[in-house]
Amino acid sequence: RGSSDDEKDGVKMKAVIFAEPGAVTQGHETGLLPGDRLLEVNGISVDDKSREEIIDMIKSSQDFVIVKVYMIS
């Protein structure tokens, strides 16, 4: 989960820390949680991408990555 909230063009943005789903760091849940759905990486839909392709998309991002996530909570 994120550490900061921001709003851009009327869309609420939240920083996401990537970790294994459900991971706990210093008593706080981080990353994507089980059931959260990754929709886009840098504006590209990941519906038809494999896990490895998505990881490569994230790794190939330079200074930052923009993800669109449907959060269940």
Side-chain angles (χ1 to χ4, degrees):
R1 297 294 174 176
S3 58
S4 65
D5 291 340
D6 195 9
E7 194 161 324
K8 181 178 179 182
D9 299 326
V11 176
K12 189 171 185 178
M13 309 291 277
K14 183 171 236 176
V16 175
I17 300 167
F18 286 96
E20 289 297 318
V24 177
T25 303
Q26 297 177 352
H28 296 90
E29 289 182 349
T30 61
L32 301 173
L33 297 178
D36 287 351
R37 185 169 170 218
L38 184 60
L39 303 173
E40 296 179 358
V41 174
N42 295 330
I44 300 170
S45 174
V46 296
D47 281 344
D48 61 343
K49 307 283 188 221
S50 69
R51 181 178 187 273
E52 289 75 22
E53 288 174 306
I54 295 169
I55 291 169
D56 287 343
M57 291 171 71
I58 293 168
K59 284 182 176 180
S60 68
S61 298
Q62 297 287 318
D63 296 328
F64 62 91
V65 61
I66 298 172
V67 295
K68 186 174 186 180
V69 177
Y70 175 78
M71 302 166 84
I72 60 165
S73 56

